[in-house]
Amino acid sequence: MSDDAVLRALHEGLTRRPMPETVAGRLLALSCIQAAPVLAGQLAAVAASRPRFSFLPDDWAEPVAPARQIARALELFPGVEGLSPAERDPAAIEAFIARLSAAIAKPPRRNSVRRDRLDRVGRAAAGLQLGAHAYTKRFRFLARLEAHFSVYCQERRRLAWRRLGKLGLVEGIAFEGFAAGPAAAAFIAYYAARRGLRSAFTSGPQVRPFDEPAAALLRLAEADPATDWALVARLHPAPEVLARLTPDQRGALLAEWTAALAGLAEELERTWRRSRFDLKDMVVGRGDDSSTWNLLAQAWNSARAAWFSLLEASGQAGLLEACCPGKVMRLMAADVAAWHRADGGGLHPDTVVWRALPPPWAVLRGEAFCPRAQVEAACHAAGIDGQDSGWVAARLPPEPVPFTPTPELVHGVEVGAPGLALLLRKRGVFSGKASRPVPPSAPP
């Protein structure tokens, strides 16, 4: 394959979820990797560790667009400018719904059959040539379509926050800039794959994404004059990377992360008000939307860490003296909490700090006062160092860890064989729900 073809495949994988082993195999075809024999051998060992078969999806779960409903709308509203059922752009779908609504004089998001539906006089005044049954049929259809579209938009936002928390700002990386520096592109692609690894069910820390192959690829990028460090900083905002940026580049990144924090603040508060978790231990309770909360918490903490790093690199760390929004603690499953207690552990000190501070979304919006001194006092009371723990300053980048092969997981639990993993997943094992029984075998 040519370098251009390899780079296009790597760029396409940035917003997907390929195994690091798969990415390492693709990197071996790049000429800049082939010119570094030691690094090529390291990546070849990574690629060779990929299992022959794996049932882990290599993409994120995509929201279901209202394709079937759009196809039905084309039948019910033949006179309206159509839309392809394969369309996934929310703006195009919203404009299509607006055209459908205008065709029956229905105000957008007014879906009450009792209050918003037109009677015979209203239909005549609007110039509609539809009988009561035909009009009501289309009115109810549009109400269902708007409901599906609302869920679709919500799931797209959730996917964007999930990618942000796991991968960083990868969605803003255009192919032209990515391909201009092959060495930087190699690091970005591999590190994004490492960051996208699924979390394992464990009572200890997760595997850190910055491993020895990633460090070697970063050193290769440092030796390449074509490296665009602003792109590298979108995934790896370490001090040595941010120091290579111009003030304008750091300012642009700071604006993006600030906007991300502002959007997350709204989503976090909305989820908080809907659930009201127990601050005492942050263990999942009945009715808690833990999936949404945990992906938002991860996105917030990732965005906050990058925001802190950029403030420090830009000489604006003094802002934290007056406004130091805290981390957001994830909800813990009850079985993991019991595992912690069985191992002799207690409540994590970060949880003690979290419940002592005002909600970070309120601090970011200026609705609550939380200076750095208050956070440091809460950390001291919990027995942790505010700087080392990342509560009042950006954490120092970790040392690279040895590469570990991607495990085959079923709901976070590592399973030795892909075939066994598929069987357990189909039976609902480790899902927290009742396992589905094995169907009886057919009689001979």
Side-chain angles (χ1 to χ4, degrees), residues 396-421:
L396 293 176
E399 292 296 319
V401 298
F403 169 77
T404 52
T406 304
E408 192 77 15
L409 300 176
V410 178
H411 298 291
V413 179
E414 184 173 354
V415 179
L420 176 61

Side-chain angles (χ1 to χ4, degrees), residues 262-281:
L264 283 164
E266 299 296 329
E267 297 278 1
L268 281 165
E269 184 178 24
R270 189 177 301 114
T271 307
W272 173 264
R273 292 187 180 279
R274 190 167 59 241
S275 298
R276 290 293 187 180
F277 316 121
D278 184 5
L279 280 177
K280 182 179 179 181
D281 51 17

Side-chain angles (χ1 to χ4, degrees), residues 67-104:
R68 183 173 56 83
Q69 290 85 347
I70 292 174
R72 178 60 176 156
L74 298 176
E75 299 173 1
L76 291 176
F77 297 84
V80 175
E81 180 186 352
L83 183 74
S84 170
E87 182 62 64
R88 301 187 63 84
D89 181 19
I93 298 174
E94 185 175 25
F96 179 59
I97 294 175
R99 295 195 297 271
L100 298 176
S101 299
I104 62 169

Side-chain angles (χ1 to χ4, degrees), residues 76-77 104 123 129-141:
L76 291 176
F77 297 84
I104 62 169
R123 295 195 300 273
Q129 303 298 318
L130 293 173
H133 176 75
Y135 170 79
T136 301
K137 179 179 182 179
R138 287 158 178 78
F139 184 95
R140 291 182 184 274
F141 170 80

Side-chain angles (χ1 to χ4, degrees), residues 36 62 82-83 94 102 106 109 128-129 135-136 154 161-162 202 240 251 256 266 315 388 406 418-419 421 438:
E62 287 287 339
L83 183 74
E94 185 175 25
K106 174 186 173 299
R109 294 176 293 280
L128 298 178
Q129 303 298 318
Y135 170 79
T136 301
Q154 179 183 356
W161 294 134
R162 188 183 297 278
T202 175
E240 64 272 17
E256 282 197 64
E266 299 296 329
D388 293 344
T406 304
V438 178

Side-chain angles (χ1 to χ4, degrees), residues 188-390:
I188 290 170
Y190 180 80
Y191 190 53
R194 285 286 296 178
R195 287 191 59 164
L197 288 175
R198 293 162 176 82
S199 299
F201 185 81
T202 175
S203 62
Q206 298 292 328
V207 174
R208 289 187 300 197
F210 192 69
D211 61 0
E212 292 170 351
L217 288 166
L218 186 59
R219 289 193 296 271
L220 183 69
E222 290 171 350
D224 184 3
T227 293
D228 186 344
W229 290 102
L231 294 186
V232 176
R234 300 180 74 85
L235 279 83
H236 189 55
E240 64 272 17
V241 174
L242 297 178
R244 297 173 180 267
L245 272 56
T246 66
D248 287 346
Q249 288 174 327
R250 286 194 292 265
L253 269 181
L254 183 61
E256 282 197 64
W257 282 117
T258 303
L261 285 173
L264 283 164
E266 299 296 329
E267 297 278 1
L268 281 165
E269 184 178 24
R270 189 177 301 114
T271 307
W272 173 264
R273 292 187 180 279
R274 190 167 59 241
S275 298
R276 290 293 187 180
F277 316 121
D278 184 5
L279 280 177
K280 182 179 179 181
D281 51 17
M282 289 300 287
V283 173
V284 176
R286 185 179 296 275
D288 291 341
D289 187 0
S290 59
S291 297
T292 299
W293 178 264
N294 284 346
L295 74 88
L296 291 174
Q298 182 176 47
W300 172 274
N301 293 333
S302 295
R304 177 184 177 274
W307 190 66
F308 273 38
S309 295
L310 282 158
L311 287 177
E312 294 177 5
S314 305
Q316 302 180 53
L319 174 65
L320 301 177
E321 298 295 335
C323 176
C324 188
K327 303 178 190 179
V328 173
M329 291 298 99
R330 299 179 64 171
L331 283 169
M332 185 182 298
D335 48 1
V336 176
W339 190 356
H340 276 286
R341 290 192 296 270
D343 285 346
L347 189 66
H348 197 283
D350 277 357
T351 303
V352 178
V353 179
W354 147 260
R355 69 187 188 188
L357 299 177
W361 52 85
V363 176
L364 185 73
R365 293 201 302 256
E367 300 170 359
F369 185 60
C370 184
R372 174 173 174 157
Q374 183 179 353
V375 183
E376 289 177 332
C379 290
H380 180 74
I384 59 175
D385 185 281
Q387 289 200 5
D388 293 344
S389 59

